[in-house]
Amino acid sequence: MQETVIVLDFGGQYNQLIARRVRECGVYCEIMPYTAPLEKIREKNPKGIIFTGGPNSVYDESSPHYTPEIFELGVPVLGICYGCQLMAYALGGKVISATDNSVSEYGKTETKYSTDCALFEGLPDSGVSWMSHRDYISEPPAGFAVTAVTDNCPTAAMADPERRLYGVQFHPEVNHTEHGKDMLSAFLYKVCGCAGDWKTESFISDTVEKIRDTVGEKSVVLGLSGGVDSSVAAALISRAIGKRLTCVFVDQGLMRKDEGDFVEQTFTKLFDMNFVRINCQDEFLAKLKGVTDPEEKRNIIGEEFYAVFWNKIRESYGDGYFAQGTIYPDRIESGKGDAAKIKTHHNQVGVPKDIKFDGIIEPLGDLFKDEVRAVGEKLGLPRELVWRQPFPGPGLGVRVIGEVTAERVRILQEADAILRDEMERCGYADKMSQFFAVLPGVKTVGVMGDARTYSELVAIRAVTTDDFMTADWAKIPYDILGRVSNRIINEVENVNRVVYDITSKPPGTVEWE
Ligand code: XMP
């Protein structure tokens, strides 16, 4: 059985980061909401439990709490921030609200560690930690020793090694905490006794075996979008069952230049599978004729996509298994507030009632995006696919502002291809999170040769971001922008002007529609 650590989520903003760090240490972990019953946790037979931070105060009755029985399971627990306060409170320590703000701490904080503690053994006895708290532990519970302090915080860490209970007021999962990852690793290996069996190679071999066991002699059909997740899922299933996998790729003609051909070549040449490409640009354009409203375009493209996809499935493959590239963040429950609900995500497609599959296979359902990429690389997927930038489901349909026509899609594809080419050449492509061209639907006057022109305007959008919730416009050097502009105007027919979008998010969004 895979050794597992449970991250119990109390609504902290770093819950996924904690899980990622644990996995980076080579230990598999799962996030569970604080509403999960103790029985569910026990069933997982965890090697350790980590309480996340959270925005609440422990003495507020409506704050998320957990039954103190969890400390009697004999399983090591590490409480982080709110999680540490919760542990102290539940076991009889004293947690105080810093009403005068004298002891609240935010940001980088000089911290002194007791290197006798298993978490800090072998590390420097002082350093910077990342704090974000108003309440603090004035007295740890009986049996606990204080193992770290700051000028303002009398209990920056506490430990009861006998019961294997540990707490840190700071955030070891955040890079700003010096040696934070070493502290987490110490908890996992020294306290929990993990062996560290979570590796990409073993994930691949275990998953391939599981797929073979589940599928038996039957077949699998997968909707391939050309995005990272469905591509990696396809490569993995192909390794397990070869030609009994059929990938259906609906090319609505709204992908970037040559992207449809690239996807087809990759999956027909590099992998053993049946690959079905449905070229349906004309049908999509017919449906989009005269439509300019962004939401209406999105709806039409989405509905048409699934209509084409499911019709193909009805025609030829009605049984066996259905696979999709759902990844872990698509399906975890969040502990935020009491509205702990599973988010409906665009990856989780509903199968129409008239189509009966034996079951649904989601081979990447336990992985984070960077782990999916590592698996993709190990399986031999090309770099362009594995490190592909996010691309909206409705494709260029939402980057051609106004009516989507074949000619306007062509102009945008050409301009976008030049932008990509220049960014690759100057080594700037990897410095940005996302960049693309937009056709705003504005015509402007220009002069070319000696003649007046009246042609389309192209806009360039490029952003840097960690999470796409907020983003900065990328500060691309002027000479690179100049080259991109020259080439687009010279090489793309019907374009006579290029502008650069210098709007951050918020107030703008990344996409224009
Ligand atoms: P916005 O425009 O909301 O974009 O700032 C944030 C990120 O999401 C991508 N995006 C989409 N992805 N379907 C998708 O799968 C969509 O309809 C969609 N709209 C935006 C966008 O490219 C950016 O990475």
Side-chain angles (χ1 to χ4, degrees):
M1 194 175 170
Q2 175 88 59
E3 62 179 17
T4 302
V5 162
I6 297 298
V7 172
L8 200 57
D9 181 9
F10 290 96
Q13 56 177 324
Y14 300 128
N15 51 16
Q16 293 212 19
L17 191 57
I18 297 171
R20 265 180 53 189
R21 290 281 179 265
V22 172
R23 301 236 192 136
E24 281 167 16
C25 291
V27 175
Y28 176 70
C29 80
E30 286 183 23
I31 302 174
M32 291 176 105
Y34 71 90
T35 48
L38 189 62
E39 206 38 51
K40 281 257 181 270
I41 294 179
R42 213 196 310 252
E43 273 168 22
K44 298 273 179 187
N45 195 18
K47 295 286 283 186
I49 298 169
I50 299 178
F51 287 8
T52 74
N56 306 75
S57 288
V58 288
Y59 36 77
D60 180 350
E61 296 242 319
S62 59
S63 298
H65 285 83
Y66 206 81
T67 168
E69 284 173 56
I70 195 164
F71 302 113
E72 287 156 27
L73 293 176
V75 177
V77 180
L78 170 66
I80 295 178
C81 197
Y82 177 82
C84 177
Q85 293 168 4
L86 196 66
M87 181 186 280
Y89 183 78
L91 295 172
K94 219 168 175 186
V95 181
I96 292 191
S97 177
T99 39
D100 60 0
N101 275 344
S102 61
V103 283
S104 59
E105 292 172 311
Y106 295 97
K108 292 181 180 178
T109 309
E110 196 55 37
T111 310
K112 292 193 182 69
Y113 303 103
S114 151
T115 51
D116 299 341
C117 173
L119 297 191
F120 313 126
E121 215 175 41
L123 301 178
D125 62 4
S126 65
V128 165
S129 76
W130 182 259
M131 291 282 191
S132 176
H133 67 105
R134 213 150 53 94
D135 299 352
Y136 68 97
I137 299 163
S138 61
E139 266 176 48
F144 279 78
V146 169
T147 55
V149 292
T150 71
D151 284 349
N152 285 324
C153 186
T155 315
M158 60 180 198
D160 178 347
E162 214 154 284
R163 286 188 286 172
R164 299 193 295 172
L165 303 179
Y166 291 78
V168 290
Q169 181 58 67
F170 56 88
H171 289 272
E173 71 278 19
V174 170
N175 277 336
H176 302 301
T177 295
E178 290 170 348
H179 298 288
K181 196 166 158 190
D182 295 329
M183 297 169 191
L184 285 174
S185 173
F187 175 70
L188 298 169
Y189 289 95
K190 291 185 195 160
V191 179
C192 303
C194 290
D197 60 2
W198 179 247
K199 306 251 167 14
T200 305
E201 289 86 348
S202 54
F203 168 81
I204 293 175
S205 54
D206 291 354
T207 309
V208 162
E209 216 168 288
K210 250 191 258 167
I211 294 170
R212 285 185 186 142
D213 277 355
T214 310
V215 174
E217 292 304 309
K218 299 222 166 176
S219 59
V220 176
V221 55
L222 177 135
L224 190 75
S225 68
V228 186
D229 304 343
S230 63
S231 296
V232 175
L236 199 51
I237 301 171
S238 142
R239 177 167 291 195
I241 57 166
K243 281 260 182 310
R244 278 184 292 128
L245 167 67
T246 300
C247 287
V248 178
F249 172 50
V250 178
D251 185 350
Q252 10 75 320
L254 298 173
M255 300 187 78
R256 286 170 290 200
K257 189 181 177 191
D258 299 332
E259 206 166 28
D261 295 343
F262 173 66
V263 170
E264 179 171 354
Q265 267 170 21
T266 302
F267 287 100
T268 50
K269 300 237 164 77
L270 294 185
F271 294 93
D272 186 29
M273 63 171 68
N274 288 310
F275 184 87
V276 180
R277 177 175 178 179
I278 311 172
N279 282 320
C280 45
Q281 190 188 45
D282 293 346
E283 289 87 328
F284 272 71
L285 291 179
K287 295 261 176 200
L288 290 167
K289 195 168 169 41
V291 182
T292 55
D293 179 73
E295 283 313 300
E296 207 181 326
K297 283 200 280 186
R298 261 172 209 276
N299 289 339
I300 291 173
I301 296 170
E303 276 170 23
E304 185 63 11
F305 181 89
Y306 288 113
V308 171
F309 179 73
W310 290 120
N311 281 338
K312 190 76 193 167
I313 303 289
R314 274 189 197 94
E315 257 175 39
S316 348
Y317 330 88
D319 71 346
Y321 287 81
F322 178 58
Q324 51 188 354
T326 315
I327 70 170
Y328 191 54
D330 299 339
R331 64 181 190 92
I332 40 176
E333 282 180 62
S334 159
K336 286 199 177 80
D338 273 323
K341 274 193 195 143
I342 298 177
K343 277 189 267 174
T344 348
H345 194 271
H346 67 271
N347 272 341
Q348 291 173 310
V349 175
V351 178
K353 288 210 169 56
D354 63 318
I355 299 180
K356 294 275 174 277
F357 287 111
D358 290 330
I360 293 184
I361 298 180
E362 296 177 325
L364 309 177
D366 287 334
L367 302 193
F368 285 101
K369 195 78 165 190
D370 38 0
E371 295 171 316
V372 172
R373 292 200 160 111
V375 170
E377 283 186 334
K378 276 266 156 24
L379 290 170
L381 275 168
R383 206 182 154 274
E384 295 97 298
L385 265 182
V386 171
W387 293 99
R388 190 181 191 257
Q389 292 178 10
F391 188 63
L396 299 184
V398 291
R399 293 180 185 167
V400 171
I401 313 299
E403 188 181 3
V404 184
T405 63
E407 169 62 1
R408 301 191 70 221
V409 170
R410 180 201 64 80
I411 292 176
L412 184 59
Q413 282 177 332
E414 297 292 339
D416 190 70
I418 291 170
L419 173 67
R420 277 197 283 162
D421 183 48
E422 282 298 327
M423 290 300 161
E424 290 290 345
R425 272 173 204 250
C426 68
Y428 231 77
D430 294 338
K431 296 198 176 119
M432 281 171 290
S433 312
Q434 199 174 2
F435 60 87
F436 51 86
V438 179
L439 200 64
V442 172
K443 283 189 160 189
T444 72
V445 173
V447 54
M448 258 177 159
D450 284 329
R452 175 187 189 273
T453 56
Y454 184 56
S455 312
E456 295 259 16
L457 163 78
V458 165
I460 306 296
R461 179 69 162 144
V463 296
T464 53
T465 172
D466 285 330
D467 56 8
F468 294 92
M469 303 297 283
T470 62
D472 242 351
W473 59 277
K475 314 294 183 291
I476 301 177
Y478 288 160
D479 57 334
I480 302 176
L481 285 173
R483 273 204 304 278
V484 172
S485 166
N486 272 343
R487 278 194 59 195
I488 291 178
I489 291 167
N490 284 317
E491 295 173 33
V492 187
E493 211 179 317
N494 273 333
V495 175
N496 67 353
R497 195 180 294 266
V498 174
V499 294
Y500 188 50
D501 180 351
I502 52 168
T503 320
S504 293
K505 173 183 180 176
T509 48
V510 175
E511 303 286 347
W512 278 35
E513 278 196 340

PDB file of all heavy atoms in Angstrom, residues 74-90:
ATOM      1  N   GLY A  74      -2.152   7.726  17.531  1.00  0.00           N
ATOM      2  CA  GLY A  74      -0.766   7.232  17.529  1.00  0.00           C
ATOM      3  C   GLY A  74      -0.038   7.628  16.252  1.00  0.00           C
ATOM      4  O   GLY A  74       1.073   7.178  15.987  1.00  0.00           O
ATOM      5  N   VAL A  75      -0.690   8.474  15.432  1.00  0.00           N
ATOM      6  CA  VAL A  75      -0.084   8.932  14.174  1.00  0.00           C
ATOM      7  C   VAL A  75       0.540  10.307  14.429  1.00  0.00           C
ATOM      8  O   VAL A  75      -0.105  11.159  15.047  1.00  0.00           O
ATOM      9  CB  VAL A  75      -1.175   9.056  13.078  1.00  0.00           C
ATOM     10  CG1 VAL A  75      -0.580   9.610  11.788  1.00  0.00           C
ATOM     11  CG2 VAL A  75      -1.854   7.718  12.841  1.00  0.00           C
ATOM     12  N   PRO A  76       1.770  10.536  13.968  1.00  0.00           N
ATOM     13  CA  PRO A  76       2.379  11.857  14.172  1.00  0.00           C
ATOM     14  C   PRO A  76       1.549  12.971  13.529  1.00  0.00           C
ATOM     15  O   PRO A  76       0.980  12.777  12.455  1.00  0.00           O
ATOM     16  CB  PRO A  76       3.732  11.749  13.453  1.00  0.00           C
ATOM     17  CG  PRO A  76       4.002  10.297  13.330  1.00  0.00           C
ATOM     18  CD  PRO A  76       2.670   9.617  13.257  1.00  0.00           C
ATOM     19  N   VAL A  77       1.468  14.111  14.220  1.00  0.00           N
ATOM     20  CA  VAL A  77       0.736  15.254  13.677  1.00  0.00           C
ATOM     21  C   VAL A  77       1.659  16.470  13.679  1.00  0.00           C
ATOM     22  O   VAL A  77       2.381  16.706  14.659  1.00  0.00           O
ATOM     23  CB  VAL A  77      -0.522  15.580  14.519  1.00  0.00           C
ATOM     24  CG1 VAL A  77      -1.275  16.773  13.930  1.00  0.00           C
ATOM     25  CG2 VAL A  77      -1.454  14.371  14.614  1.00  0.00           C
ATOM     26  N   LEU A  78       1.640  17.209  12.577  1.00  0.00           N
ATOM     27  CA  LEU A  78       2.334  18.497  12.519  1.00  0.00           C
ATOM     28  C   LEU A  78       1.287  19.573  12.271  1.00  0.00           C
ATOM     29  O   LEU A  78       0.563  19.530  11.277  1.00  0.00           O
ATOM     30  CB  LEU A  78       3.357  18.510  11.358  1.00  0.00           C
ATOM     31  CG  LEU A  78       3.994  19.870  11.035  1.00  0.00           C
ATOM     32  CD1 LEU A  78       4.878  20.354  12.185  1.00  0.00           C
ATOM     33  CD2 LEU A  78       4.825  19.800   9.749  1.00  0.00           C
ATOM     34  N   GLY A  79       1.187  20.532  13.198  1.00  0.00           N
ATOM     35  CA  GLY A  79       0.248  21.633  13.011  1.00  0.00           C
ATOM     36  C   GLY A  79       1.001  22.847  12.473  1.00  0.00           C
ATOM     37  O   GLY A  79       2.072  23.184  12.984  1.00  0.00           O
ATOM     38  N   ILE A  80       0.451  23.486  11.459  1.00  0.00           N
ATOM     39  CA  ILE A  80       1.093  24.670  10.897  1.00  0.00           C
ATOM     40  C   ILE A  80       0.184  25.883  11.125  1.00  0.00           C
ATOM     41  O   ILE A  80      -1.002  25.839  10.784  1.00  0.00           O
ATOM     42  CB  ILE A  80       1.355  24.482   9.377  1.00  0.00           C
ATOM     43  CG1 ILE A  80       2.358  23.346   9.148  1.00  0.00           C
ATOM     44  CG2 ILE A  80       1.842  25.782   8.741  1.00  0.00           C
ATOM     45  CD1 ILE A  80       2.648  23.037   7.684  1.00  0.00           C
ATOM     46  N   CYS A  81       0.725  26.942  11.710  1.00  0.00           N
ATOM     47  CA  CYS A  81       0.007  28.209  11.926  1.00  0.00           C
ATOM     48  C   CYS A  81      -1.316  27.965  12.671  1.00  0.00           C
ATOM     49  O   CYS A  81      -1.296  27.543  13.811  1.00  0.00           O
ATOM     50  CB  CYS A  81      -0.186  28.928  10.593  1.00  0.00           C
ATOM     51  SG  CYS A  81      -0.601  30.666  10.827  1.00  0.00           S
ATOM     52  N   TYR A  82      -2.459  28.189  12.032  1.00  0.00           N
ATOM     53  CA  TYR A  82      -3.729  27.921  12.710  1.00  0.00           C
ATOM     54  C   TYR A  82      -3.767  26.475  13.214  1.00  0.00           C
ATOM     55  O   TYR A  82      -4.274  26.192  14.299  1.00  0.00           O
ATOM     56  CB  TYR A  82      -4.900  28.172  11.741  1.00  0.00           C
ATOM     57  CG  TYR A  82      -6.262  27.852  12.315  1.00  0.00           C
ATOM     58  CD1 TYR A  82      -6.924  28.753  13.127  1.00  0.00           C
ATOM     59  CD2 TYR A  82      -6.891  26.635  12.035  1.00  0.00           C
ATOM     60  CE1 TYR A  82      -8.176  28.457  13.659  1.00  0.00           C
ATOM     61  CE2 TYR A  82      -8.136  26.325  12.564  1.00  0.00           C
ATOM     62  CZ  TYR A  82      -8.777  27.240  13.373  1.00  0.00           C
ATOM     63  OH  TYR A  82     -10.006  26.946  13.891  1.00  0.00           O
ATOM     64  N   GLY A  83      -3.196  25.569  12.418  1.00  0.00           N
ATOM     65  CA  GLY A  83      -3.155  24.154  12.793  1.00  0.00           C
ATOM     66  C   GLY A  83      -2.390  23.929  14.077  1.00  0.00           C
ATOM     67  O   GLY A  83      -2.736  23.071  14.893  1.00  0.00           O
ATOM     68  N   CYS A  84      -1.341  24.721  14.290  1.00  0.00           N
ATOM     69  CA  CYS A  84      -0.535  24.639  15.499  1.00  0.00           C
ATOM     70  C   CYS A  84      -1.341  25.176  16.688  1.00  0.00           C
ATOM     71  O   CYS A  84      -1.367  24.576  17.779  1.00  0.00           O
ATOM     72  CB  CYS A  84       0.743  25.452  15.276  1.00  0.00           C
ATOM     73  SG  CYS A  84       1.844  25.539  16.674  1.00  0.00           S
ATOM     74  N   GLN A  85      -2.038  26.288  16.447  1.00  0.00           N
ATOM     75  CA  GLN A  85      -2.860  26.870  17.523  1.00  0.00           C
ATOM     76  C   GLN A  85      -3.988  25.921  17.906  1.00  0.00           C
ATOM     77  O   GLN A  85      -4.333  25.766  19.083  1.00  0.00           O
ATOM     78  CB  GLN A  85      -3.436  28.206  17.060  1.00  0.00           C
ATOM     79  CG  GLN A  85      -2.351  29.265  16.870  1.00  0.00           C
ATOM     80  CD  GLN A  85      -2.869  30.494  16.148  1.00  0.00           C
ATOM     81  OE1 GLN A  85      -4.049  30.614  15.850  1.00  0.00           O
ATOM     82  NE2 GLN A  85      -1.970  31.412  15.855  1.00  0.00           N
ATOM     83  N   LEU A  86      -4.550  25.272  16.901  1.00  0.00           N
ATOM     84  CA  LEU A  86      -5.647  24.335  17.145  1.00  0.00           C
ATOM     85  C   LEU A  86      -5.168  23.168  18.016  1.00  0.00           C
ATOM     86  O   LEU A  86      -5.849  22.729  18.941  1.00  0.00           O
ATOM     87  CB  LEU A  86      -6.149  23.817  15.798  1.00  0.00           C
ATOM     88  CG  LEU A  86      -7.493  23.138  15.794  1.00  0.00           C
ATOM     89  CD1 LEU A  86      -8.586  24.141  16.142  1.00  0.00           C
ATOM     90  CD2 LEU A  86      -7.768  22.552  14.420  1.00  0.00           C
ATOM     91  N   MET A  87      -3.964  22.698  17.708  1.00  0.00           N
ATOM     92  CA  MET A  87      -3.390  21.597  18.484  1.00  0.00           C
ATOM     93  C   MET A  87      -3.190  22.044  19.938  1.00  0.00           C
ATOM     94  O   MET A  87      -3.569  21.338  20.882  1.00  0.00           O
ATOM     95  CB  MET A  87      -2.046  21.202  17.864  1.00  0.00           C
ATOM     96  CG  MET A  87      -1.350  20.069  18.549  1.00  0.00           C
ATOM     97  SD  MET A  87       0.307  19.795  17.846  1.00  0.00           S
ATOM     98  CE  MET A  87      -0.044  18.881  16.398  1.00  0.00           C
ATOM     99  N   ALA A  88      -2.636  23.249  20.099  1.00  0.00           N
ATOM    100  CA  ALA A  88      -2.388  23.774  21.443  1.00  0.00           C
ATOM    101  C   ALA A  88      -3.713  23.908  22.202  1.00  0.00           C
ATOM    102  O   ALA A  88      -3.842  23.460  23.351  1.00  0.00           O
ATOM    103  CB  ALA A  88      -1.691  25.131  21.352  1.00  0.00           C
ATOM    104  N   TYR A  89      -4.699  24.480  21.570  1.00  0.00           N
ATOM    105  CA  TYR A  89      -6.011  24.739  22.183  1.00  0.00           C
ATOM    106  C   TYR A  89      -6.691  23.427  22.569  1.00  0.00           C
ATOM    107  O   TYR A  89      -7.171  23.256  23.681  1.00  0.00           O
ATOM    108  CB  TYR A  89      -6.848  25.514  21.168  1.00  0.00           C
ATOM    109  CG  TYR A  89      -8.216  25.934  21.626  1.00  0.00           C
ATOM    110  CD1 TYR A  89      -8.382  27.036  22.463  1.00  0.00           C
ATOM    111  CD2 TYR A  89      -9.347  25.247  21.184  1.00  0.00           C
ATOM    112  CE1 TYR A  89      -9.658  27.434  22.850  1.00  0.00           C
ATOM    113  CE2 TYR A  89     -10.618  25.638  21.570  1.00  0.00           C
ATOM    114  CZ  TYR A  89     -10.763  26.739  22.404  1.00  0.00           C
ATOM    115  OH  TYR A  89     -12.008  27.136  22.783  1.00  0.00           O
ATOM    116  N   ALA A  90      -6.689  22.472  21.634  1.00  0.00           N
ATOM    117  CA  ALA A  90      -7.394  21.210  21.861  1.00  0.00           C
ATOM    118  C   ALA A  90      -6.749  20.402  22.975  1.00  0.00           C
ATOM    119  O   ALA A  90      -7.418  19.624  23.655  1.00  0.00           O
ATOM    120  CB  ALA A  90      -7.411  20.392  20.567  1.00  0.00           C
TER     121      ALA A  90
END
